[in-house]
Amino acid sequence: MTVNDDSFTNWKIREETAESMIPLIGKLHRERDVTVLLHSRSLVNKSVVSILKTHRFARQIAGAELSVTETMPFLQALTALDLGPSQIDLGMLATMYKADERGLSVEEFTAEAVAGATGANKIERREPRDVVLYGFGRIGRLVARLLIEKAGSGNGLRLRAIVVRGGGAQDIVKRASLLRRDSIHGQFQGTITVDEENGTIVANGNAIKVIYADDPTSVDYTEYGIRDAILIDNTGKWRDREGLSRHLRPGIEKVVLTAPGKGDVPNIVHGVNHDTVKPEERILSCASCTTNAIVPPLKAMDDEYGVLRGHVETVHSFTNDQNLLDNYHKSDRRGRSAALNMVITETGAASAVAKALPDLKAKISGSSIRVPVPDVSIAILNLQLARETTREEVHDYLREVSLTSPLKRQIDFITAPDAVSSDFIGSRHASIVDAGALKVDGDNAILYLWYDNEFGYSCQVVRVVQHVSGVEYPTYPATAV
């Protein structure tokens, strides 16, 4: 048998194994509200090839490819346990099992590692929490996709309505079409139908009412059967507590803003300060995409090395706030064509760091350049550290943070030498450390952080909403059994 034959046989074996994983992953998700992960990447509703590619990607962060033949025994062991709602990382299970020297079987080790989600310890499945999207633009539609994707278990968050301004003939059909097809993020994964008579978009069985309103105070959500909902404001029209309070109408319990909040509105970066949200807080902000990209790695660096000062330069994709061709704009430079120019502009991300990391004493400055790409940006974080270090030490530290720390859902890590911005479209992490671009000289470290400023940020928004709604389930195993 030739090398080529060996490679093909190995592929067919792995392909068959991945095929057999799909029904097990789906059953755990639907029947027990368990999300199966691989190094923080969900395997729910993934294709055979996607599962194999996710396993192969592990070599970028763990140093070696992870085979489905290694993780399958752990998945089979999970199906035999009395699991409650949780997230379980097969990659972590396999990695920790290799390092364990007690001679336990896979079944014994798995039962011990996820004990917090089994038997008397398991969390009871919760009733769905209603969600309303106010605004249905770039972020609104991506958040909608994520909410629909996560509704498969029948628990957690349930998108009940979107609120938009009236747009004339076939408005609902056009909005459904924009949800169905996206020039950057591709086709919607599922089916979408429109019930014009009842003003409803049905996506993967989820009936979403389209409510037309020009003013938040004109809507009574209880008229649509919506109760105790979390409203996500994607318009950015109101940024302070007074303005956002207009959303606190009958049927709405909390308001989450997908833009930096002003005044005393808490700015929340999931993974960093989401646990500071008080149960009685009804209004909060998810800050900006750039704030979400820089704050997790900034916290990681400050925790390990101390940060004395820093500057962040964001090279940011253009947005709908800019003009396609030169035209009047209230902001300096943004009136010039977004598709033809690099445009220097301001960013509030640096000043927002203080709200998310109040214990950070370092002064952080920032600026931004908008460039002619439609999605994915990069933040260049230049830090003066409290102690000297080496590139190798920072490299290994950030890789470990991306694998095992509480920030592993926020920080990703890539070693690919030819990575470019389009490679990160669809990333669910808040930021991705580019290992090849990392620079360290004594007490100076420069981090290059990619981020999908649309989808990655939307994932962070959904995580915050899950947390404040009480449907954010714990992840197992912990970093140590």
Side-chain angles (χ1 to χ4, degrees):
M1 182 176 287
T2 67
V3 173
N4 285 340
D5 288 337
D6 285 341
S7 296
F8 186 68
T9 300
N10 179 263
W11 168 263
K12 299 301 289 184
I13 292 171
R14 290 187 291 131
E15 189 178 46
E16 183 179 2
T17 302
E19 284 177 352
S20 62
M21 295 177 85
I22 291 174
L24 301 181
I25 293 168
K27 189 174 183 180
L28 283 169
H29 185 58
R30 287 189 307 274
E31 297 183 2
R32 307 190 198 179
D33 215 359
V34 173
T35 299
V36 178
L37 310 172
L38 189 86
H39 287 312
S40 301
R41 289 167 169 77
S42 173
L43 297 181
V44 176
N45 293 328
K46 294 298 186 290
S47 68
V48 169
V49 171
S50 180
I51 290 174
L52 291 173
K53 287 180 69 175
T54 303
H55 278 73
R56 181 164 172 74
F57 185 81
R59 76 192 191 284
Q60 299 283 359
I61 47 181
E65 183 172 346
L66 189 61
S67 173
V68 288
T69 58
E70 294 178 76
T71 58
M72 182 59 164
F74 296 96
L75 179 59
Q76 292 171 324
L78 291 174
T79 63
L81 297 174
D82 180 25
L83 287 168
S86 56
Q87 298 185 104
I88 299 180
D89 196 315
L90 294 182
M92 288 296 296
L93 279 172
T95 300
M96 292 168 61
Y97 182 68
K98 285 181 181 179
D100 191 83
E101 299 178 348
R102 293 174 294 166
L104 301 177
S105 67
V106 167
E107 292 77 14
E108 291 169 334
F109 182 85
T110 302
E112 181 180 348
V114 302
T118 61
N121 296 323
K122 69 181 182 182
I123 300 171
E124 292 301 318
R125 300 180 74 174
R126 299 186 175 98
E127 290 298 313
R129 185 70 177 269
D130 290 351
V131 178
V132 173
L133 297 178
Y134 197 96
F136 205 53
R138 297 299 303 157
I139 299 301
R141 292 194 296 273
L142 291 178
V143 169
R145 285 188 174 200
L146 286 164
L147 292 172
I148 294 164
E149 171 193 296
K150 295 178 182 299
S153 65
N155 296 276
L157 304 175
R158 181 174 60 172
L159 177 57
R160 296 292 308 281
I162 62 173
V163 185
V164 294
R165 294 191 298 268
Q170 289 200 308
D171 179 271
I172 190 172
V173 173
K174 293 177 180 178
R175 295 187 188 278
S177 182
L178 286 170
L179 179 62
R180 183 182 291 113
R181 303 177 186 89
D182 190 282
S183 299
I184 298 169
H185 301 283
Q187 296 278 341
F188 174 81
Q189 296 300 303
T191 62
I192 294 176
T193 57
V194 176
D195 183 347
E196 288 190 81
E197 183 178 349
N198 292 306
T200 302
I201 297 173
V202 181
N204 289 359
N206 295 266
I208 306 163
K209 181 69 176 178
V210 180
I211 302 171
Y212 293 100
D214 294 325
D215 189 325
T217 60
S218 67
V219 187
D220 182 342
Y221 294 94
T222 59
E223 293 179 359
Y224 305 95
I226 296 171
R227 300 284 189 277
D228 299 323
I230 296 177
L231 182 144
I232 304 174
D233 183 329
N234 305 292
T235 69
K237 184 175 181 180
W238 303 278
R239 305 266 293 276
D240 59 12
R241 187 173 295 276
E242 180 182 0
L244 292 168
S245 294
R246 296 161 66 89
H247 290 301
L248 294 174
R249 302 286 297 154
I252 302 300
E253 175 63 25
K254 294 179 184 290
V255 178
V256 175
L257 172 65
T258 61
K262 295 182 177 179
D264 67 342
V265 175
N267 280 249
I268 304 302
V269 174
H270 190 275
V272 174
N273 67 336
H274 66 277
D275 56 354
T276 66
V277 179
K278 299 176 181 177
E280 65 272 16
E281 180 60 73
R282 301 186 69 188
I283 295 173
L284 53 93
S285 156
C286 290
S288 71
C289 57
T290 302
T291 303
N292 276 265
I294 66 173
V295 164
L298 184 57
K299 173 176 169 47
M301 292 298 289
D302 188 51
D303 287 348
E304 179 67 18
Y305 301 102
V307 174
L308 301 182
R309 66 170 293 116
H311 176 81
V312 60
E313 187 77 35
T314 71
V315 182
H316 199 292
S317 61
F318 62 73
T319 69
N320 275 331
D321 173 68
Q322 294 171 259
N323 292 328
L324 187 61
L325 295 172
D326 289 4
N327 203 1
Y328 173 80
H329 195 293
K330 63 181 181 180
S331 297
D332 294 340
R333 307 190 204 231
R334 290 197 189 187
R336 303 299 299 279
S337 170
L340 298 175
N341 296 290
M342 293 190 291
V343 180
I344 297 174
T345 187
E346 71 281 349
T347 176
S351 58
V353 167
K355 282 193 171 186
L357 281 175
D359 293 337
L360 181 70
K361 305 306 179 185
K363 176 178 174 56
I364 307 294
S365 59
S367 53
S368 179
I369 303 173
R370 297 285 180 93
V371 295
V373 294
D375 186 30
V376 179
S377 305
I378 189 167
I380 305 167
L381 191 57
N382 193 331
L383 304 175
Q384 181 186 354
L385 307 177
R387 68 176 175 87
E388 292 192 353
T389 182
T390 65
R391 184 184 185 281
E392 291 73 21
E393 182 186 347
V394 175
H395 175 284
D396 292 346
Y397 169 67
L398 290 175
R399 185 174 69 177
E400 192 63 26
V401 166
S402 74
L403 277 171
T404 63
S405 82
L407 292 170
K408 64 185 177 182
R409 296 175 71 192
Q410 283 69 44
I411 299 176
D412 204 359
F413 188 90
I414 188 165
T415 59
D418 56 352
V420 294
S421 62
S422 61
D423 296 329
F424 305 103
I425 293 174
S427 170
R428 294 175 182 246
H429 288 77
S431 65
I432 306 101
V433 176
D434 192 315
L438 174 67
K439 292 177 172 54
V440 179
D441 183 9
D443 63 354
N444 177 240
I446 304 175
L447 279 57
Y448 287 74
L449 309 166
W450 298 101
Y451 58 109
D452 184 330
N453 47 277
E454 293 186 335
F455 196 74
Y457 175 67
S458 296
C459 290
Q460 282 286 90
V461 171
V462 171
R463 289 172 189 135
V464 169
V465 174
Q466 287 177 316
H467 176 73
V468 299
S469 64
V471 297
E472 183 180 39
Y473 299 134
T475 301
Y476 297 95
T479 54
V481 176

